[in-house]
Amino acid sequence: MTLAARAITLEIGGRVLVEGLDLSVSPGAVTVVVGPNGAGKSTLLRALCGLLPLEHGQVTLRGTPLSSVAPRARARAIAYLPQQTPAAPGLTVRDAVLLGRLPHRSRLAGPSADDHARVGTSLERVGMAAFTERRLDSLSGGERQRVMLARMLATEADVMVLDEPTAALDVRHALDLLETLRALAREGRAVVLALHDLPLADAFADQVVCLDARGTTRVGPPCKVLSPDTVQAVFGAPFDRDDDGVLRLQLPDGAAVTSG
Amino acid sequence: MTRWAAIVSATLLVALWISLVAGPGDVSHGDVASVLLGREVTALQRALVWDLRLPRSLLAVCVGASLGLAGALTQGLFRNPLAEPGVLGVSAGAAMAGAVGLAIGLDAAGPWAIPGAACLGAIGVLLVLMAWARTDARTSTLILCGVALASVCGAVTTLVLSVGIERWEVGMKVVRWLMGSFDGRTWPHLAIGASALALGAALAAWVRQDLDALQLGSDTAVSLGVDLRHTWRVGITTVGLLAGLCTALTGVIGFVGLVVPHIARAFVGTGHARLLPASALLGGTLLLLVDVATRTIAFIALPPGVITSLLGTPVFLVVLARMRTEIT
């Protein structure tokens, strides 16, 4: 396994968000973190990236405690996309993606030809090569998110952690992004992301981490963790599965919604 | 970038040459060339060009470059286009610390005592701002915090002055310190200014990648391997050193650090590998032009801070107006 959490407990302001969580994130798999608002999804992702000091438990990267991995080495192994990225006025797409190469450079070195080549291939991979010289603040939400994905790819990290990357996207762009993430996982990366949309999480996850508002976590394959009973208990919303096993939201009038 | 840098460099050199020729005394272009090439000239001409004008002009370049650099650094550290040592009260902190130092006779301890106190004053204000920005990084909050700190520093400075009225010599020293000037600045002053600029430039180069990463937010920066505490420590020390020593050498000179990075960014982009040297180059050129203008146009010796504030305030307001929708 690439990244593992052992008995981690996360608290904010005395409130326990996650208690005693064990989690293994393996290459080739997509792990989706779900939970109601305020359940601690972002906090968990930040802890997995080493951005949050842990008081209880530990996160290991290929067996080494993350807290003892040097910042740049950690950055080369784990790429992170927060829920919101500042507008960064004036920053071009090229420069934004080049930032993904920082962990590979010494402090005083400028970008190498290899760095520029990686930027090119990363932007091509997410279909944004034509936007290389555009300013980041001139792009739509979906385009920006793809550029941020290219920035993550440019780090060549084995683990990619994304906090609600589809939050500001319409369904088409959300699906495109999730397809890309699944393809990246199949190439051997470990992908961890938080999602609000339960049917999408059910469809794209190999492993689901479900947080509730009481610090309890459930980890496992989506068909087990996202059972209608669990979803009802955690989210207070009526879901069922159709004959093909697809997770659907039950509307009061009897209609069913598979994603939204 | 190359063409832009060439134009600004050429302007700097022309302004430098004019600064050596312009002013009272019979000094022609040929005399200036003779002094610089070590040829035979009169003692008066040598004194005017070599002992008075050249170090003064080079000091103006150094101070302007330091302020431009400090402005670009501050804006990068706080991720805020309105952050600048003058606006945030950092220069006021340096002025206050220097004034207090003079009032208690710290200047007797040695030539570095007052500049050192000014640096500590600047760093003190920056530390308060940093602590504030950690809990609330909004532009409006940061500016208001800077205004409040500048107000407190100004009040302490006024207190020192009011006490100084009773002791004429101390009062005059403090007033001269606060007004600042390029007058009478010679090679030892230049040595201090150039050393600060060289050290500041080296430290700024050390954190420039961190500032680039900070453009995407502190979480992303940390995920890219930036050690935020280290970046803040180096950045704050550098801005404190530059702003403190500039204030010690030439008084409070506002707005150079605000205006210059904005202009530079329009030409060289947001990457700090280019923005930091471009801001230093442009700041040096701008302040030298201000000094040349005040020496050749003004009828009285104006402190350089007066001119930069008169020119800089409208620019500040324009930037503020453009940002109106972003500020909360």
Side-chain angles (χ1 to χ4, degrees), chain A residues 46 74-75 86 106-109, chain B residues 206 208-210 219 222-223:
Chain A
R46 293 180 78 234
R74 186 200 67 217
S106 68
R107 271 196 168 274
L108 298 176
Chain B
W206 184 252
R208 70 177 169 80
Q209 287 184 353
D210 302 352
D219 261 2
V222 174
S223 79

Side-chain angles (χ1 to χ4, degrees), chain A residues 15-18 34-43 211-215 234:
Chain A
R15 187 180 143 229
V16 177
L17 299 172
V18 171
V34 297
N37 289 336
K41 298 186 292 293
S42 299
T43 308
L211 311 181
D212 67 14
R214 297 179 297 278
V234 173

